[in-house]
Amino acid sequence: MKKLIALLCLICMGTSGFAQTCCDNQQPPCEEVQRYEHTFYEKGATSNQVAITNLRNIVCKGNALKVAFNCKFKSECAKAGDTINFTLPDALYTEEGTLLIPACSTVIADIIRIEKQRFPNKNARVYLNFKCIVFPDNTTVCMSGKPLTKDGSLKEGPWMTTGKLALYTIGLGCVGAGAGTGFAFIPNPAKLGVGFAVGIPVGCTVGLITGLLTPGLKYHAKKGENIKVILCEPMSLPKICK
């Protein structure tokens, strides 16, 4: 009888140990791509594909998203190494309806370089590395992105540069017109038209040349101003329950 009880105990212990070994050696579930979906296309993006797996959502390299400055930005007040916070104003969904990033998430970027405005008429440039997204529930997701521009920098657009040249041209054109009129009026008031005809072209030409030879514009952005970010690497996102 004692031998039978001992045998039963050994069998139970062996079964328990085998079950524990199986649990310890259990492998995590394999990741499988279930389908591909698509973000709403942004001009300049090179991809809008999203891989939906059983474990996560993967936004492919080349996708673009819009973010907004959290506060005013001035290039002359910033330096390399500074951190800038942006906001994702609207939730990011795929065209098929999958929620990827909740609204009001914070997108964090580091300034990696600033080129100050310089002669002749070269605008300041700000280079950023977008490194992570923080969801409203404090979930943090790593990312790698840069501004979606031709050279990957933020700078004042051509309209602002054109406006600056126009101000110089018109301003000095008015000065030239006034000077030409004054010089014509002194010897002969009847030649005011000649003074205008000579002074305006000369003043405008000097103004345009002056505008082209002065330093370019600093980069300024208002709070809430939108920019586009393009992903340099695929971005892994957790699945979100709506």
Side-chain angles (χ1 to χ4, degrees):
M1 187 66 179
K2 290 182 179 180
K3 290 182 178 180
L4 181 59
I5 294 173
L7 180 60
L8 290 173
C9 289
L10 288 173
I11 292 173
C12 291
M13 291 174 62
T15 304
S16 176
F18 177 75
Q20 182 64 40
T21 301
C22 289
C23 291
D24 291 342
N25 293 333
Q26 187 176 7
Q27 296 296 320
C30 295
E31 184 172 27
E32 298 178 356
V33 176
Q34 298 174 329
R35 63 188 182 278
Y36 286 95
E37 296 187 4
H38 306 85
T39 57
F40 292 91
Y41 180 76
E42 294 286 351
K43 184 178 180 181
T46 57
S47 173
N48 70 331
Q49 198 170 63
V50 180
I52 307 297
T53 81
N54 56 321
L55 302 178
R56 55 183 175 152
N57 301 323
I58 305 171
V59 184
C60 298
K61 174 183 176 181
N63 270 271
L65 59 152
K66 287 182 180 178
V67 298
F69 279 90
N70 264 6
C71 58
K72 290 192 299 184
F73 177 81
K74 295 183 178 182
S75 61
E76 68 270 27
C77 300
K79 63 183 183 301
D82 288 350
T83 297
I84 306 176
N85 289 343
F86 296 81
T87 299
L88 194 75
D90 303 314
L92 181 65
Y93 284 89
T94 64
E95 292 181 352
E96 293 77 7
T98 298
L99 175 60
L100 300 175
I101 304 175
C104 300
S105 294
T106 300
V107 184
I108 301 174
D110 287 335
I111 299 176
I112 56 177
R113 181 159 59 110
I114 293 181
E115 292 182 1
K116 295 184 178 181
Q117 75 276 22
R118 61 186 189 278
F119 296 95
N121 199 37
K122 296 292 184 181
N123 293 342
R125 286 171 167 78
V126 181
Y127 294 87
L128 301 175
N129 173 41
F130 289 84
K131 62 180 184 179
C132 67
I133 300 176
V134 182
F135 291 0
D137 65 358
N138 290 324
T139 298
T140 301
V141 174
C142 293
M143 68 177 292
S144 175
K146 64 180 181 179
L148 179 51
T149 59
K150 288 183 178 180
D151 63 352
S153 72
L154 296 177
K155 59 182 181 294
E156 294 294 355
W159 285 110
M160 293 293 289
T161 304
T162 302
K164 172 203 168 189
L165 294 178
L167 286 175
Y168 272 98
T169 302
I170 294 172
L172 289 185
C174 292
V175 172
T181 303
F183 286 126
F185 182 81
I186 294 172
N188 188 351
K191 294 184 178 180
L192 291 178
V194 176
F196 272 114
V198 174
I200 291 176
V202 172
C204 289
T205 301
V206 173
L208 179 61
I209 294 173
T210 302
L212 290 172
L213 295 180
T214 54
L217 299 171
K218 301 169 184 176
Y219 177 73
H220 291 171
K222 299 177 182 178
K223 179 180 179 180
E225 184 173 329
N226 290 327
I227 65 168
K228 291 181 182 179
V229 179
I230 187 168
L231 294 181
C232 302
E233 298 293 339
M235 180 169 59
S236 174
L237 298 172
K239 289 184 173 291
I240 301 174
C241 296
K242 295 182 183 180

